[in-house]
Amino acid sequence: MTALSPYRVVEHAPVLSFHWEVHGTDDAPLWVGSGSCPLCGCAMTVTIGYVQPPIPKGGFLGRRKTPDSPVWYTSCRCESLHIPRPAHVPAGCGAMLRLARPGAGNGS
Ligand SMILES: [Zn+2]
Ligand SMILES: [Zn+2]
């Protein structure tokens, strides 16, 4: 069997290009990005809504810094079990990723 990489919170600085699809409505778009985590190699999907609820801990995980930010932040959301993963973390290997936002680099 293949050993999974251990859970580890690590910031991955390079900006990744994910494949984005827009769902939702014009007023409330929802972007669904898919790609693979460069740290653990698993496929992952991230959903980012236009309006983002505040998260108790603060920070920008899974959020944009500002609506116009060219880079969106997320954490790895893969479905593999990377251990030792804290109980409050639902998924992923702990990698903190930067994603090029939809349309970035396409001249828009
Ligand atoms: Zn990962
Ligand atoms: Zn993984």
Side-chain angles (χ1 to χ4, degrees), residues 2 9-10 13-14 24 33-34 44-45 50-51 55 60 75 79 87-89 96:
T2 310
V9 175
V10 52
S34 50
M44 58 171 271
T45 302
Y50 187 72
V51 176
I55 49 179
F60 298 105
S75 53
E79 292 178 0
H88 66 273
V89 179
M96 303 211 285

Side-chain angles (χ1 to χ4, degrees), residues 37-42 44 76-78 82 92-95:
C37 171
L39 280 114
C40 67
C42 305
M44 58 171 271
C76 176
R77 305 283 174 90
C78 80
H82 294 280
C93 69

Side-chain angles (χ1 to χ4, degrees), residues 2-20:
T2 310
L4 289 169
S5 53
Y7 180 89
R8 194 159 69 95
V9 175
V10 52
E11 231 181 296
H12 184 75
V15 177
L16 307 171
S17 294
F18 267 35
H19 173 74
W20 293 101

